[in-house]
Amino acid sequence: MSEPPLGHLLDAGLLGEPVAAAREGTAEYVLEAIDLHKRYGHNDVLRGVTFGVHRGDVKAVLGPSGSGKSTMLRCLALLEPIDAGEVRLEGRRIGVRESGGRLVSLPERVLAKERSEIGMVFQRFNLFPHLTALGNVMIGLTEVRGRSKSEAREIAQTMIARVGLAERASFYLGELSGGQQQRVAIARALVMNPKVMLFDEPTSALDPELVGEVLAVMEELAREGMTMVVVTHEVGFAKRVADRVIMMDAGAIIEDAPPAEFFGNPQHERTRKFLEAVH
Amino acid sequence: MDFKPSVFFEALTSPAFIDGVRITITLTVVAMAFGLALGLLVALLRASPWAPLRAVAWGYIWVFRAIPALVWLLFVWDALPQLVPAFKGDWFSAFAAATIALAMNEAAYAAEVFRGGLLSIDEGQRLAARALGMPPSKVFTKVIAPQLIRVTIPPLSNDFITMLKLTSLASVISLQELLARTQTLVASTFRFVEYFSAAAIYYLVLVSIFMVIQAQLERRFVWISQHTAGTSALSRVRQLAALR
C-alpha cells in the first residue's frame, strides 16, 4: 500500500485534508467494532461482534443471509443505533455520548456529521433519481461539506472520471446500467473523502456481466490504500483483494483470518460448509 | 329553442362576470396554497414517531373528510364568530371565511396524498442521504421533497380542479365569485341558459388552462437528460417506462 489514499486528488488540491493528516492516525485501527449488540424485538441480530480494520486494509465479510452482515454495516455507518457495544473511528468512540454516567445516542444532527466521515455503498445503489450522475456525486459536497457549486462540480467531475464515467456525467439513473449506477454510488461516497468505505453486497443486485466493472473499481480503490469493509458473496474478490476475511453466522463472527488461511484451512465447521455451498 | 347568442356573448365579456372570475381564481390559488401547506404538516405529523401527534393528524383527516365542504363553510362563516369573538372583526370577510374553510377541507385530502407520496419513496433514498451525512432538514428538502413533488403532481392537480369548482360554494356566503355574479345577473334578466352557459364556459376554460400548466409541470419533473430527450419518441417512452 505505497500510494496514499486518493493521492493524486490531494496533490491536485481538490480534496480538503492534507495527506499527512490522513496518515498520522495514532489509533491501531481506523474502524473498530467492540462487542456490538443489536436486537429487533425478540430477535438478536448481532450478539457481540468485535473486530478492527487497520488503515489501508480490506476486510471481506462472508456469511449466509440473515447472519447480521448488513445490520453490522448499518450499525458501523451509524444508520442504526446499537443496543450495546462501541463503534470507534480512529480510536474515538462515535454515535453516542456520556450523560450522567449513561450512554445516550447523539442527536441526529451530530450523528450526520460523524456519518460524513464514513462512506457507504448499498446493494441497491440508492442513487437519487432527480439528479444526474454528476449531481449525485456533487450533493454531498454542496449540502454536507458546504462547498460552492463550481468547486463541487470540479471535484465531482474528477471523481466520476475516476470510476470511468466521465461521458455519462450528465445522465440520469434511468439512463445508466446497474453497473454504472453502482460506480456512481461509489463515487458519491468517495468524494466525501471518507476515512473508511463500507460496501453492503455491492454486486448482488447486478446482472452477472456487470459485476466485473464494479469489482474493478473496488480493487483499484484497495490498491490505492482505501480502508474498506466489504460484505460480499464474491469469493474470488475476497481471495484476491482482502487482507482478512470474516465469517459471520447467527449474529457473531466465527472466523477472522487472512484469505489463504480462511479459504485454505477454515477452522470452523460452519465456514467449511458455507464455502462448500457457495463454490 | 330560446337561446340568444347576443346575451350569451354579452355575459361572457361583462365586467361583472370577469370580476367574478378574478375572485374565483384568487380564492382557488390562496385556499390551495394554505391547504397544501397545512396538508403537508398533517402528513408529516402522521409519520411522526410520537403517537399523540399521529393521533392528532389522524383525527384531523377523519373530521375534515367527513364534514361536507358546504357545511364547514357555513359553520366558519356563521358559527365561528359566535364561538370565537376574534372572528367578529371587520377583517373576517366572506373571502377570508371561504379561504379558511376551503383550505382546511383541502388539507385533509392533501395530507393523504402526501402520505401516500412519502410511502412511495424508497426507504433507500433516505438511508443514502443520511449515510452521506445530511442533517434531517436537508434529507427532506434535497432528497425527499423533489421526489414527493413528482409523485404528487397528478393527484394534487385533481385537488386543484376540485378546489376551483368548490369555490362556487362560497356564493352561499355572498362572496361575489363567478357563480354569485351569474345568479345576480340571472335574477335580473331571467336568461338562465345564456348566463349559466357562460359561467360553464369560464370554468371549462380555467380548468383547461390549468391542465396545460399541469402538463408543463409534469414535464419538468421527468428526469431524463438532453441526450435522450433529443432522440426518437420511442426511446423517450422507453426511458420514461424505465424511470417508473
Side-chain angles (χ1 to χ4, degrees):
Chain A
M1 305 293 168
S2 58
E3 282 244 328
L6 311 173
H8 63 289
L9 277 179
L10 293 163
D11 292 343
L14 286 172
L15 294 180
E17 288 176 36
V19 181
R23 307 221 87 197
E24 264 175 14
T26 49
E28 192 185 354
Y29 295 118
V30 175
L31 183 71
E32 197 178 2
I34 304 167
D35 200 23
L36 296 188
H37 284 264
K38 175 76 187 172
R39 115 198 318 248
Y40 293 113
H42 293 293
N43 190 9
D44 280 311
V45 186
L46 298 180
R47 21 179 127 205
V49 170
T50 300
F51 75 94
V53 199
H54 290 286
R55 194 173 304 283
D57 270 9
V58 176
K59 202 121 185 164
V61 183
L62 301 185
S65 56
S67 58
K69 299 170 303 208
S70 288
T71 303
M72 180 190 75
L73 273 201
R74 283 182 190 199
C75 289
L76 292 176
L78 306 182
L79 294 169
E80 290 276 356
I82 49 174
D83 295 324
E86 281 184 41
V87 178
R88 288 179 172 271
L89 188 66
E90 294 185 330
R92 193 171 53 87
R93 187 168 193 177
I94 56 171
V96 290
R97 71 181 161 81
E98 231 184 272
S99 171
R102 283 181 45 199
L103 289 170
V104 289
S105 192
L106 289 167
E108 187 69 15
R109 187 157 276 284
V110 185
L111 281 178
K113 278 215 176 68
E114 294 188 339
R115 285 186 197 120
S116 73
E117 304 290 323
I118 299 167
M120 178 89 180
V121 174
F122 299 90
Q123 182 178 357
R124 306 217 18 242
F125 329 133
N126 299 357
L127 287 184
F128 306 131
H130 58 296
L131 300 174
T132 60
L134 189 70
N136 268 279
V137 183
M138 282 171 65
I139 192 168
L141 293 170
T142 53
E143 304 307 328
V144 178
R145 294 279 188 256
R147 298 271 189 151
S148 72
K149 275 241 158 82
S150 59
E151 256 184 324
R153 182 170 293 115
E154 195 185 339
I155 301 169
Q157 248 150 7
T158 313
M159 193 55 78
I160 217 159
R162 247 167 65 84
V163 296
L165 291 170
E167 280 98 58
R168 303 254 149 183
S170 60
F171 282 49
Y172 286 88
L173 66 85
E175 304 162 313
L176 299 170
S177 72
Q180 290 168 339
Q181 288 187 47
Q182 192 60 299
R183 280 146 70 196
V184 173
I186 292 172
R188 176 175 69 178
L190 213 49
V191 81
M192 302 298 283
N193 202 13
K195 297 191 163 87
V196 57
M197 286 279 283
L198 310 177
F199 294 83
D200 187 7
E201 300 195 26
T203 57
S204 299
L206 295 174
D207 290 337
E209 74 271 22
L210 302 175
V211 169
E213 63 187 77
V214 172
L215 291 183
V217 168
M218 291 168 62
E219 287 197 48
E220 174 67 21
L221 262 183
R223 258 198 304 281
E224 288 176 9
M226 175 57 76
T227 311
M228 295 160 57
V229 179
V230 185
V231 171
T232 185
H233 291 302
E234 296 290 329
V235 171
F237 175 84
K239 277 184 183 159
R240 266 196 325 277
V241 184
D243 298 282
R244 286 189 84 87
V245 185
I246 286 176
M247 173 74 190
M248 270 189 91
D249 188 48
I253 291 175
I254 58 170
E255 193 133 1
D256 183 348
E261 208 176 297
F262 185 95
F263 294 107
N265 183 25
Q267 299 302 302
H268 204 285
E269 178 60 25
R270 287 284 305 147
T271 313
R272 267 197 291 276
K273 284 232 169 77
F274 178 76
L275 289 176
E276 274 166 27
V278 296
H279 267 301
Chain B
M1 194 177 77
D2 187 17
F3 182 82
K4 287 191 180 150
S6 63
V7 176
F8 173 71
F9 286 113
E10 203 188 295
L12 272 184
T13 53
S14 87
F17 234 82
I18 290 169
D19 199 46
V21 170
R22 190 181 56 76
I23 292 171
T24 292
I25 294 173
T26 314
L27 178 58
T28 305
V29 171
V30 174
M32 194 70 192
F34 281 115
L36 290 183
L38 184 59
L40 182 59
L41 181 71
V42 173
L44 292 176
L45 291 184
R46 266 212 87 173
S48 159
W50 204 45
L53 289 181
R54 285 202 304 275
V56 167
W58 185 89
Y60 183 94
I61 294 168
W62 174 58
V63 168
F64 284 96
R65 282 203 307 192
I67 300 176
L70 182 55
V71 173
W72 180 235
L73 182 67
L74 289 169
F75 187 93
V76 169
W77 180 236
D78 293 322
L80 205 55
Q82 280 188 5
L83 273 178
V84 186
F87 287 94
K88 279 186 177 143
D90 284 343
W91 69 272
F92 194 58
S93 61
F95 186 87
T99 302
I100 291 170
L102 294 179
M104 289 181 77
N105 179 67
E106 168 58 24
Y109 293 93
E112 285 295 270
V113 170
F114 283 131
R115 188 169 74 93
L118 286 170
L119 288 175
S120 79
I121 298 169
D122 187 73
E123 190 46 38
Q125 294 291 308
R126 193 183 300 273
L127 208 57
R130 288 168 68 220
L132 271 180
M134 286 190 203
S137 57
K138 294 221 164 160
V139 173
F140 185 78
T141 56
K142 300 294 172 180
V143 174
I144 303 300
Q147 300 183 53
L148 185 61
I149 292 171
R150 177 197 157 106
V151 294
T152 54
I153 288 174
L156 290 180
S157 298
N158 248 346
D159 281 16
F160 189 91
I161 291 168
T162 304
M163 176 67 85
L164 182 74
K165 297 189 292 186
L166 280 180
T167 57
S168 62
L169 294 179
S171 60
V172 304
I173 61 166
S174 73
L175 181 68
Q176 291 301 301
E177 45 67 66
L178 183 51
L179 180 60
R181 292 289 164 98
T182 310
Q183 283 174 321
T184 308
L185 290 165
V186 164
S188 61
T189 60
F190 294 101
R191 303 302 311 178
F192 295 99
V193 180
E194 292 82 353
Y195 282 103
F196 283 129
S197 302
I201 294 287
Y202 267 112
Y203 283 115
L204 192 61
V205 169
L206 289 178
V207 170
S208 304
I209 293 171
F210 177 71
M211 283 168 71
V212 172
I213 295 171
Q214 180 193 349
Q216 276 174 349
L217 213 56
E218 282 184 20
R219 207 166 303 147
R220 272 191 53 188
F221 280 87
V222 171
W223 298 313
I224 56 174
S225 66
Q226 299 300 315
H227 314 275
T228 320
T231 55
S232 74
L234 185 64
S235 66
R236 234 183 111 93
V237 169
R238 280 209 196 100
Q239 292 296 343
L240 280 168
L243 279 168
R244 283 185 200 282

